Amino acid sequence: MRKRGKNRGMESKDFNRKSTKKIILVGNPNVGKSVVFNYLTGKYVVVSNYPGTTVEVSHGTTKWRGKNITVLDTPGVNSLLPTSEDEIVTRNILLNEKDALIVQVADAKNLRRSLLISSQLSEMGLPFLLVLNMEDEARERGIKINYQELYSLTGAKVISTVATQKKNLEKITEELVDLREATLNISYHPALEEAISQIAEFLPEENISPRSIAIMLLSGDKSLKRWLHARLPESRINEIEAIRRSCQAGFDQPISYLINQVRLEKVDEIVRRVTMIKPIKRKRLSTRIGELSVHPFWGVVILIGAVYLLYQVIGVFGAGVAVDFMEETVFGEYINPFFIRWTGRLVPVAWLRDLLVGQYGLLTMAMTYAFALILPIITFFFIAFGLMEDSGYLPRLAVMSNKIFRLIGLNGKAILPMILGLGCATMATLTTRILESKRDRIIVTLLLALGVPCSAQMAVIFGMLSGFSPMMVVLWAGVVGLVLAVVGYLAARYLPGEASDFVLELPPIRLPRIGNILIKTLSRIEWYLKEAVPLFALSTFILFIMDKTGILINIEKGASPLIKGVLGLPVETTQAFLIGFLRRDYGAAGLLALARAHALSAEQILVALVTMTLFVPCLANFLVIVKERGWKIGAAISGFILAVAFTVGGLLNLILKITGFKI
Amino acid sequence: MQFNWGKRKPHCHIRGPFCHREAETRDRAIDELLEFIWNLRENGVSDVADLQREASDPEARNILSYMEQEGLFAREGDKVYLKEKGEEKAREIIRRHRLTERLLMEIFELSEEEAEKEACKLEHILSPEVTDSVCTFLGHPPVCPHGKPIPPGKCCTAPEKSVRPLVMPLNDLDPGAEGRIVFISTNFPARLDKLSALGVAPGSIIKMRQKKPSPIIQVGETTVAVDPEIVHDIYVKAV
Ligand SMILES: [Zn+2]
Ligand SMILES: [Zn+2]
Ligand SMILES: [Zn+2]
C-alpha cells in the first residue's frame, strides 16, 4: 500500500546510483525475504508479503567486507517476465543496478517456483547466491534437498537457512564473495531461438544479457517500451515488433507461455534429481485451520467471528474507549487548552488566531481530528489488519468473499480496501492500489466513497440508531447495501475494461510474530500521518476560508430547498450535510444533536442517515480520490454520488410518505 | 523432399506431402497433399512454387492436376488456395491427424516420433464417428501437442457426454483428487502467464483442493485460489 508505482520508473534516482556495490534481494512472495533483509540491515520495515504491502522497495545498509553497503529488498515476484507492477519494479531494478550482489531468497519447500526465477536470473547473466530458506518447513513436509547436486546442476552457490530462527543467515554475506554466473541456461524451440538472436543483435550492451531482454521482448513485454525508445531508433523497434509478430504467427499459443513451459520442464527435471520426498501423513494443525477457514460452512463461521472480533477491537475499543480518551481527556483537557492559551498570548492578529485555534482551526480542529479521532481507530485497525495478514488469513478472507464480489463484477481482493474503508475511507482509497486493473480500482474507489461508512461515522450512526427498534438498523443497512450492490453491478457492467482474474496465492497459516506486527503497524502509522494529515489540514483550511468568506452560509441557504423539498427534512439539517462533506462523522454528529433535541421523527432520521451515509465522502477522501484517480474521475465520482444520495434519499422519503410507514 | 520451412517448427506437420513414402493409393496421396496445403497456409505460405517443387515426380504431378480437375484446389497467379470441397476434406484430415497425435502422445505416451508416424497412418483410416469419439474422449482439445489448432467437429459443439472423457476439465475432478495437466485452453494469454509463473502448466500434477466457495488448487507446495472459469480452462488426466 506504500508508494507503489512511483518507484517503478527506471529513472528513479534512489536506485540508480550505479557506482557503489549493493546487495539486492529477490524472490517469490512469502519466502522470508523481508526477514533476511531485516537481519542484514538490522531494521524491520514491512515484513509480510501480501500484495501491496511490500511494493515499496526497502533500503538498508549492512557491513560487507568492512564497508557499509546498501541492501535493496525488491517486491516479491513469480516471474521476471513481468505481469504485475511489482514484477516490473523488480525487473527494472535488476536491469538498472550495475555490479550488484544478487541474493535470491527461495522457499525450500517450493523449489520448483524458486528455480523458475533462478533460471531467469541465470538467463540475464547475473551471478547470484541461492538462499533456500524455510528449510525447517521443507523438512517437516518430508522434503530433502541434495545441495551438492543442486549446485552442480544450476551452477549457483546454494545455502540453506531458517530465517525466522536466524539459522545460517551469517553465511549469506560470507558466501557473497566470488559469485559466479549460474549455468542454468535453457534453449528454446529453434524458431524462438532464431528470433531471440535476431532481436538480441539490435540491443545495446546492458547490465543484463541482451538475450534475456530479447526473450522479454519476444514474449510481448510492454513494460520495456520506454527503455527501448530511449535506446533504439523507431525503425529498429518496428523491426523487433515485426520479428515478434512473424514468430508468434508460427505458434498457436502465446510465446511467453511456450517459454514458460520449457523453463518449467527444465526446472522439473532438476527438481526431480535433487529432491527426495517422504510423504508425511499427519496433517498439521495449521493446515487444518487453513482448510477450515475456506470451508463453505466453517469458513463463514470463522469469517463472522473474525468480523465480530474486528468490530470489538476497532469499533468498540478503538472508536469508543480510545477515541473518548484521546478526544475528551488528552486533547479536550490538555492539548487544545494549551494551544489556545499560547496562541492567545503569542498571536496578536485575530484572524490568524482563528486560523490556528478557532472553530475551524488548524491546530484545534485538524489536529484533534487526525490524532484524537482517527489515529486511535487506525492504530487498532492496523494491528488487526497486520494480525490477519501475517497469519495468512487475509487472502482466505478474499476467497470467502470472492463470490459476493463477483456478483458486482469485482473479485475477492476488493474486500481488503472495503474492510479498510470501515476504518477510514481516505486510507482505504489509497489501498485500492492492490487491485490489478484500473477499472477495479475505480469501482472500489466509487463504492468506498458512496456507501462504506468509516468508523468515526459508523460510531455516530450506531449511536443514533441504538435508540430505535432493530427495524431501523435493518432498513438503513438494507437500503445502503442495495444501493452499493446496484451501483457496483452497473459500474462493472458499463465501465470499459475486463474484470481482472482472481488468481491469489494462499500462504500457509502461520502464528504471527508480535514484534513484526508492531513494527509494521508503526511504519503504517507513519505512512498514514504523512499521507493523510496534510489532507486533513487542507480540508480544515478550506472550511475556514469558506466560513470567513460567508460561502458556508450561502451554500447552506442554497441547499435548503433540496433538503426540505426532496428529503423532507427540517432546514437545520442542511448544515449537518454540508459539514458532512467536510467531515463525515461531524455531519452525522450534527444529525445526532438534532435527533436528541427531538427535532426529527424516526422516518426523518432514517432518510437523513441513508442520505448522509451515501453522501459525498469527506473532503480528505475527495482529495485522495483526486490525487489517485485524477480530477476528471474525482469530479465524476463526486457528482454521481451526490445525485445518487439525494435521489435515494428523496425516493425513500417519498415511499415512506406514500405508504405511511411508521418505524 | 526439401522444403525450406524457415526457422519454423522442425517437427509436426512439416514432413511434406508424403508422410510415408510408400503411399500407394491415390486417395491417400490426395489426403497428404491437402494436408500439406493446409499446413502451408497455416504458416502463411501459399506459393504454387512450393507445391510444384514437392510434386516433382510425375506421379504426384498427375495427382495434383487430378485434384485440380476435381475442384479440390485452384491456383490464382502463383498462389494456391483450397476450394470448398478441398477445404472440407483437408479440415477433416488435419483434425484426425492432430487428434490422433494427442491421443497417442498424451494417453498412450508414445514418443513424438512414434506418435507422428502412427498419426500419419491413422489419419487416413479413422471414420468420422471414431474421430468424434476420440475427440470426446480427450475432452475436445483445442490444440495438438505442438500447439497447432485442431479444427472442431460436431462433437465439440454438442454438449453430449456419452463417452466419459479421460481428459477432463479440472472442475470435473473431485475435491481431493489429483490430475496431470494436459493442456490449458483459454482466450486470455495473460491468464496463462500468471498460471505458469505459479507452476500451473501442462505436465504438472495438480490437486483440486475444493470447489466452493471458491476453487482452490494446489501444485506442489503452492496453493492458489482462482476463479471458477479458470478451473474450467485447465484440462487434466486423472492420476
Ligand atoms: Zn500425414
Ligand atoms: Zn502437432
Ligand atoms: Zn470434439
Side-chain angles (χ1 to χ4, degrees), chain B residues 12-13 98 101 144-146 148:
Chain B
C12 175
H13 327 292
R98 293 180 183 172
E101 271 182 344
C144 83
H146 309 95
K148 292 283 183 182

Side-chain angles (χ1 to χ4, degrees), chain B residues 105-205:
Chain B
M105 280 174 72
E106 306 294 353
I107 310 302
F108 299 128
E109 289 170 8
L110 256 55
S111 74
E112 200 171 298
E113 257 164 73
E114 284 173 301
E116 181 73 24
K117 213 168 82 196
E118 293 306 312
C120 276
K121 285 185 205 154
L122 287 166
E123 72 191 20
H124 311 289
I125 306 167
L126 291 186
S127 71
E129 291 73 30
V130 176
T131 308
D132 282 357
S133 298
V134 170
C135 188
T136 308
F137 182 65
L138 294 171
H140 312 285
V143 290
C144 83
H146 309 95
K148 292 283 183 182
I150 299 176
K154 271 195 258 80
C155 61
C156 306
T157 38
E160 227 176 277
K161 287 200 177 172
S162 49
V163 184
R164 182 170 160 78
L166 202 68
V167 173
M168 55 189 164
L170 179 58
N171 192 46
D172 291 355
L173 217 57
D174 295 325
E178 287 188 339
R180 190 169 58 80
I181 301 177
V182 178
F183 56 88
I184 301 176
S185 149
T186 176
N187 297 324
F188 309 102
R191 194 177 274 181
L192 292 175
D193 289 341
K194 221 183 232 174
L195 290 172
S196 61
L198 288 167
V200 179
S204 309
I205 299 288

